[in-house]
Amino acid sequence: MSDAQERAWAELADFYVIDPPRDAAATSILPGSAFSPADVWERSARLVAEIGSGQGHAIIHAATENPDTDFLAIEVFRSGLARTMLAAEQGELRNIRLVEANAPEVLMHLIPQAALDELWVFFPDPWHKNKHTKRRMVTDEFAGQAAGAIADGGMLRLATDWEDYALQMRAVLDASADFERAFDGSWAPRFEGRVITAFERKGARVGRDIRDLAYRRRART
């Protein structure tokens, strides 16, 4: 990390970073480690989490525009989290927290059941080589993990610039009994709350179409 990022981690992590009990790996989470959102943010508010928050462009923009909503950035790369903290400090944001951990374990072990009003997955790693596609995050297993964390009526929003991954995401979520489409036609309209990031610009420059998806969590029976 840069000197500024090292400083951010040293000086800002105590406030912004949730440090859960770890399992075997450095970015793992020990089962049974669920936190209380009301205790973390010291209020009761809508809760939105972003998986793969990167350098924080999307979630910082959202937290700035929506001070009455709480946000959780989920990322495994510490440098990106450090940059997010620097931006949060500059914007004097108090409604955002970060966790350095694997997203599936955050959904299963850290976020309480049905605690999220929205979950965002914007431009996840496409693992576009055929031999690597099995590493993609959005699978049947992920759909179940997301469903556990999202409240009834809550939203799962996704975006990608890789057509075959978009088709995979749609197939996975269409097949899930826990979600229903929140859009008409083939693809959802662009989510207005999603700021244009470097990933989106890069994809557009090389001619890839951006595809959004939006699914609503069905009521639990």
Side-chain angles (χ1 to χ4, degrees):
M1 295 193 293
S2 68
D3 290 344
Q5 290 168 330
E6 292 284 3
R7 180 192 66 81
W9 201 266
E11 298 179 3
L12 303 176
D14 282 349
F15 176 79
Y16 285 112
V17 176
I18 297 171
D19 188 17
R22 303 294 182 176
D23 205 345
T27 54
S28 65
I29 296 178
L30 191 69
S33 300
F35 67 81
S36 166
D39 290 344
V40 171
W41 281 272
E42 299 182 340
R43 65 176 183 175
S44 178
R46 294 183 72 252
L47 180 58
V48 176
E50 182 186 10
I51 291 174
S53 56
Q55 297 181 13
H57 299 304
I59 203 164
I60 288 292
H61 173 81
T64 302
E65 295 295 313
N66 301 277
D68 294 332
T69 298
D70 293 329
F71 292 88
L72 178 64
I74 304 166
E75 179 59 70
V76 293
F77 295 110
R78 181 169 289 200
S79 59
L81 293 173
R83 293 197 63 163
T84 303
M85 282 191 284
L86 287 171
E89 179 193 36
Q90 184 177 15
E92 298 182 350
L93 300 178
R94 313 296 287 179
N95 61 331
I96 185 171
R97 297 294 187 276
L98 299 72
V99 60
E100 182 186 18
N102 301 319
E105 296 182 51
V106 174
L107 297 176
M108 291 187 296
H109 306 315
L110 188 63
I111 296 173
Q113 287 281 302
L116 294 180
D117 292 280
E118 295 197 14
L119 177 63
W120 299 347
V121 186
F122 298 151
F123 303 97
D125 193 326
W127 294 106
H128 58 278
K129 293 182 179 179
N130 289 335
K131 64 181 180 179
H132 291 154
T133 55
K134 62 184 178 182
R135 300 182 185 179
R136 288 175 173 173
M137 182 175 62
V138 182
T139 62
D140 294 340
E141 184 178 13
F142 170 81
Q145 294 161 353
I150 299 174
D152 292 358
M155 295 297 298
L156 172 60
R157 302 186 185 277
L158 310 98
T160 182
D161 59 345
W162 286 87
E163 182 180 12
D164 66 320
Y165 199 5
L167 292 170
Q168 176 181 326
M169 291 175 173
R170 191 175 65 183
V172 164
L173 293 165
D174 281 350
S176 172
D178 297 317
F179 290 100
E180 62 184 2
R181 287 191 181 191
F183 61 95
D184 297 320
S186 298
W187 306 103
R190 187 185 188 282
F191 173 44
E192 293 182 356
R194 178 168 62 77
V195 67
I196 296 177
T197 65
F199 281 105
E200 184 165 352
R201 292 190 186 95
K202 180 179 179 181
R205 280 199 304 271
V206 297
R208 291 197 293 267
D209 292 330
I210 312 301
R211 292 176 172 82
D212 280 68
L213 291 166
Y215 286 82
R216 183 173 294 106
R217 176 61 164 99
R218 296 180 186 272
R220 292 164 170 80
T221 56

